[in-house]
Amino acid sequence: MRIGQLAQSVGVDTQTIRFYERQGLLPPPGRQENGYRVYTEKHVERLAFIRRCRILDLSLAEIHELKRYQDDPHQSCTAVNALLDDHISHVRSQITALQALEKQLVSLRARCNDDREVKACGVLAGISEGNMHQQ
Amino acid sequence: MRIGQLAQSVGVDTQTIRFYERQGLLPPPGRQENGYRVYTEKHVERLAFIRRCRILDLSLAEIHELKRYQDDPHQSCTAVNALLDDHISHVRSQITALQALEKQLVSLRARCNDDREVKACGVLAGISEGNMHQQ
DNA sequence: TTAAAACTATATAGTCGCTATAAGGTCAAT
DNA sequence: ATTGACCTTATAGCGACTATATAGTTTTAA
Ligand SMILES: [Zn+2]
Ligand SMILES: [Zn+2]
Ligand SMILES: [Zn+2]
Ligand SMILES: [Zn+2]
C-alpha cells in the first residue's frame, strides 16, 4: 500500500503522513525500488490511532507518551489514566477561560445596540476604557 | 519615552512591541540620533488598546480591522458591532466543541477505573477501537 | 506510442502570536 | 576602564500542520 492509499483510507493528507514520520510518530515504512513508501496494515492502525488521539485534541507529545506506554504493555496503566486526567483538566480550564471571555464579550457588545458613528461606538469605547475587570 | 518604559507601563515585552510595529499594528515611532525608538502617549494608548483586544482574544487581523474603522470615525459602526458578533460566535463555537470533547474524554476515562496492565487499559482500548461516534 | 494526468519524492516556507537567542552598539555609574 | 543596563537588528523556534516548488515515476487514454 502506497502513501496515497494510506492517506485515503485513514482520511489524512499525504503531507501529514510524512510529517508524522519525521516527528517519529509513525514508524518509517519500507520503500520500493523507486523510493516510494510501502505501508502495511500496522501502519493503517497506527495512523488511525494517532488521528483518533488528535480528534481528542491530544498533543503530539501526549501521543508519543501513549506510544511509549503501549510499547511496554505489562506495566501499570496508571500513567495512561493520569495522562487522560491531565488532558481532561486542560480541556476544562480552556472551557472555563472561554466562558469568562464570552461573558466579557457579551457585556461589551451590549454597550452598542444601535447604529452609531464609529467615534461614538460603545464597543470601541468599552475596549478603549479598559473596563475589563469584571472578568 | 523609550521602548523599555513603554513596555513596562503597558506590561508587554519589548520584543512584542517591535513585533507589533513590524506587523503594522503600532505606528513606527520617532528615533533618537542613536537609533533608539521614542514613543509618545499616543503609543501608550494604542498599545494598551491592542493588549486589551488580545485579552479579548481578538486576532491581530481583527485588531487591524478595528484600527481601520477607528481611522474613519464618521462611518457607521455596524461593521465594528458585526466584528464583535462574529468573534463572539467564534468563541461560542470553540466552547461548544470543547464541551463535546470533554464529554467524550470523560466517557473514555470511565472505561478504566482500576489499575490494570497497559495492554488491558480501557482508555487505550477505547481510543484504539475508535468508538468516538457518540459525539 | 506518446502525451497528459495522477502519483510520488524532497526541500523549503508559511500559518499565528509571540518568545528566545545571538551579536553587537550606547549610555550612566563606579 | 569596566561593569551593567539598556538599545539595535537578524534569525530561529514553538505546534501541527499546510502550501509551494521542483523533479522523478507510473498510469491512463488518445
Ligand atoms: Zn492535553
Ligand atoms: Zn458600535
Ligand atoms: Zn475572532
Ligand atoms: Zn487504564
Side-chain angles (χ1 to χ4, degrees), chain A residues 52 77 92 102 127-128, chain B residues 52 77 92 102 116 127-128:
Chain A
R52 283 189 296 262
C77 78
R92 285 191 176 140
E102 187 201 358
I127 302 175
S128 297
Chain B
R52 284 190 294 262
C77 79
R92 285 192 174 140
E102 186 201 358
R116 312 178 189 174
I127 302 175
S128 298

Side-chain angles (χ1 to χ4, degrees), chain B residues 1 7 13 18 33 38 56 63 71-72 108 124:
Chain B
M1 161 185 281
D13 194 285
R18 295 192 194 99
E33 289 175 6
V38 189
L56 297 173
I63 301 173
D71 290 345
D72 189 1
L108 182 63
L124 282 177

Side-chain angles (χ1 to χ4, degrees), chain A residues 57-59 62 83 86-88 90:
Chain A
D57 207 30
L58 291 163
S59 68
E62 285 167 329
L83 188 153
D86 282 355
H87 186 61
I88 289 172
H90 297 168

Side-chain angles (χ1 to χ4, degrees), chain B residues 21-34:
Chain B
E21 183 182 334
R22 278 201 304 281
Q23 298 304 113
L25 268 183
L26 202 58
R31 299 278 183 148
Q32 288 177 352
E33 289 175 6
N34 56 17

Side-chain angles (χ1 to χ4, degrees), chain A residues 76-78 80-81, chain B residues 109 111-118 120-124:
Chain A
S76 150
C77 78
T78 314
V80 174
N81 298 350
Chain B
R109 180 62 181 84
R111 297 185 53 158
C112 191
N113 291 317
D114 38 13
D115 225 13
R116 312 178 189 174
E117 284 191 329
V118 160
C121 173
V123 168
L124 282 177

